[in-house]
Amino acid sequence: MRLLFIFLLVCLVIALSVAKKHHHKNHHEKKHFRKTEIEKDMLDLIAEDDAEEERKKKKLKQFEKLDDIILNGGYDEDPCRRHHCGAGKHCEIDADGKPECVCVKACPRELDERRRVCSNHNETWDSDCHLHRMRCLCMENDALCRHRKYKHVHINYYGGCKEITPCRKEELEDFPRRMREWLFNVMQDLARRAELKEPYIQLENEAEKASSRKWVNAVIWKFCDLDVHPHDRVVSRHELFPIKATLLSMEHCIAPFLDNCDANNDHRITLLEWGQCLGLDSDEIEDKCSMIRKKHG
């Protein structure tokens, strides 16, 4: 009986010992589990902070871009803003967002006869817009093209077409003198109306003060003024267009006169040819165009 009691007591001690170890193990596992959960929560919080920081940086960049847009006066620049189109065309944005030149869809209705132009086919057009639009349509083989000859139509002179009488020999001989006088009067008038371009004001002032420079400076001014695309110190037939188209309806000798200025018939008029054509001596002709442009930027 005594032995049985001792045996039961030993079994109880062993059972309590095992239970204690099991309790410690479970407690340790729970403690470790709770630590892992806390670490995971901390990592989640750090990740959330990082994500929030990225969102803040992205938002800041958006605000900076918005500031740039406001400071630049608007949204992204219009692709057509710097895209140049020739006469009779205007710029449109294509499907890819790129600028392209297309024929103008319609020209304003013109009732003023002073807007009319006469073409090289001796046809009167309501305005230069109507003429250039037709040329564009024909160049593009558009169904609205009235005739294929208009692929090369251009303005012959401003105003409605009329009969241009032939220039007589004596008129052509006197034309340089009248042309010099006209050029000086135009330069003088532009200066008085404050419309003369800055680089040429000095030439006009000299012409006003010294009679010997009156015609010389007017001739040089007009040559520099005509030499525009490009500034290559020669005047092409294309660059002569503004003066020819403006005067032809009033001065029937302007066309043969300008043809005679091209002494070597190379379709390019040098300053020397221009000056001699207008009756200046070779020693009076000074190439001031480059100097004036360089001085005034």
Side-chain angles (χ1 to χ4, degrees):
M1 189 72 177
R2 183 186 175 100
L3 290 175
L4 180 60
F5 176 77
I6 293 173
F7 174 74
L8 291 173
L9 183 61
V10 171
C11 288
L12 180 62
V13 170
I14 292 172
L16 288 173
S17 176
V18 171
K20 185 177 181 180
K21 287 182 178 180
H22 182 70
H23 172 75
H24 282 303
K25 181 180 179 181
N26 288 342
H27 178 73
H28 177 72
E29 287 178 352
K30 288 181 181 179
K31 186 176 180 180
H32 178 71
F33 175 77
R34 286 202 330 236
K35 181 180 178 182
T36 302
E37 284 293 312
I38 292 172
E39 289 177 348
K40 184 176 181 300
D41 290 342
M42 289 180 65
L43 290 174
D44 288 342
L45 288 173
I46 292 172
E48 288 179 6
D49 288 342
D50 290 343
E52 182 64 24
E53 190 66 26
E54 285 298 317
R55 284 195 292 270
K56 287 181 179 179
K57 287 181 180 180
K58 186 176 181 180
K59 185 65 69 175
L60 182 60
K61 287 181 179 180
Q62 290 175 344
F63 280 122
E64 289 175 349
K65 185 177 180 181
L66 182 61
D67 287 340
D68 290 339
I69 290 172
I70 294 172
L71 290 173
N72 290 331
Y75 290 92
D76 294 340
E77 183 177 301
D78 182 356
C80 280
R81 184 178 176 183
R82 301 182 186 277
H83 193 74
H84 175 72
C85 295
K89 298 181 179 182
H90 72 279
C91 181
E92 289 186 356
I93 310 301
D94 65 13
D96 297 323
K98 296 181 180 179
E100 64 174 350
C101 293
V102 298
C103 300
V104 296
K105 292 180 173 58
C107 294
R109 185 183 179 189
E110 292 291 350
L111 300 177
D112 190 345
E113 293 185 1
R114 292 173 296 180
R115 297 286 298 172
R116 294 179 179 178
V117 295
C118 183
S119 75
N120 54 317
H121 298 296
N122 201 38
E123 296 173 333
T124 298
W125 295 75
D126 287 344
S127 70
D128 55 348
C129 175
H130 289 83
L131 181 147
H132 290 138
R133 175 176 177 270
M134 183 55 63
R135 182 176 64 189
C136 179
L137 292 171
C138 294
M139 291 292 291
E140 298 294 328
N141 294 317
D142 192 283
L144 294 175
C145 172
R146 282 169 26 195
H147 195 283
R148 63 176 179 271
K149 70 178 182 180
Y150 294 128
K151 284 186 176 182
H152 304 292
V153 68
H154 61 79
I155 297 173
N156 197 25
Y157 56 87
Y158 295 112
C161 295
K162 64 181 183 179
E163 183 181 358
I164 305 295
T165 58
C167 179
R168 300 192 307 271
K169 181 180 179 182
E170 59 271 23
E171 290 179 308
L172 189 58
E173 289 174 351
D174 187 51
F175 193 81
R177 177 193 62 79
R178 294 194 299 113
M179 185 72 171
R180 292 195 305 266
E181 192 69 40
W182 178 76
L183 289 176
F184 172 73
N185 290 335
V186 172
M187 182 175 70
Q188 186 183 54
D189 186 55
L190 288 173
R192 288 175 179 173
R193 289 187 283 140
E195 294 178 9
L196 186 66
K197 295 178 182 177
E198 178 65 28
Y200 310 123
I201 294 177
Q202 184 178 347
L203 287 179
E204 197 280 329
N205 289 335
E206 291 178 358
E208 292 275 10
K209 295 175 182 178
S211 59
S212 61
R213 303 299 303 177
K214 177 180 176 180
W215 287 350
V216 173
N217 283 15
V219 170
I220 294 173
W221 156 68
K222 196 57 188 177
F223 181 86
C224 299
D225 187 55
L226 288 170
D227 178 23
V228 288
H229 299 298
H231 297 307
D232 54 1
R233 301 166 80 178
V234 294
V235 175
S236 66
R237 292 292 179 92
H238 177 73
E239 288 171 324
L240 283 174
F241 169 76
I243 193 170
K244 180 181 177 182
T246 302
L247 293 178
L248 188 56
S249 63
M250 300 178 290
E251 289 283 358
H252 60 283
C253 288
I254 186 66
F257 166 75
L258 293 175
D259 288 339
N260 288 344
C261 288
D262 185 12
N264 58 3
N265 200 33
D266 65 349
H267 303 286
R268 293 152 57 91
I269 299 175
T270 65
L271 177 59
L272 182 62
E273 288 177 323
W274 178 253
Q276 290 177 338
C277 185
L278 282 158
L280 301 185
D281 294 330
S282 298
D283 58 354
E284 294 180 298
I285 304 169
E286 300 177 65
D287 185 356
K288 295 187 176 182
C289 301
S290 299
M291 178 185 67
I292 291 172
R293 290 187 183 117
K294 184 177 181 181
K295 182 178 179 181
H296 294 273

